[in-house]
Amino acid sequence: KMVFLTRGPLYLVAVAATGEPAAVLRRQLALLHSQLIAILTVAVERALRKSSRFDVRKLLGGVDALFGTLAHGLTWDPAY
């Protein structure tokens, strides 16, 4: 199953083979979005709105482990 969530200039995608309902996957994407926004600054969000080609991956270089842990928790913890 594939679910998309658009929040402002950001597009988030969840791909799951676990049988979770689309609504659950959207809630998980919303949680990841909240975490992402907590890390990024307003200036970066403005830059994204101005240019869809702005690549934030370099700015997020140190948070791979954080997002990996969060994604793993979303996969295995039914509380999410």
Side-chain angles (χ1 to χ4, degrees):
K1 184 177 291 190
M2 190 179 303
V3 175
F4 297 89
L5 180 68
T6 304
R7 294 282 170 97
L10 299 173
Y11 295 86
L12 296 103
V13 180
V15 179
T18 56
E20 294 165 308
V24 170
L25 295 173
R26 278 191 201 92
R27 275 198 325 263
Q28 292 174 352
L29 287 175
L31 180 60
L32 286 169
H33 176 261
S34 296
Q35 189 69 42
L36 183 63
I37 293 303
I39 294 167
L40 295 176
T41 65
V42 175
V44 172
E45 188 175 357
R46 250 185 270 130
L48 283 168
R49 288 186 191 279
K50 287 181 182 178
S51 172
S52 61
R53 293 180 176 256
F54 186 79
D55 189 354
V56 298
R57 287 179 291 182
K58 291 179 184 175
L59 300 173
L60 296 173
V63 298
D64 291 349
L66 172 68
F67 282 114
T69 300
L70 184 56
H72 184 270
L74 293 172
T75 302
W76 297 107
D77 190 345
Y80 292 108

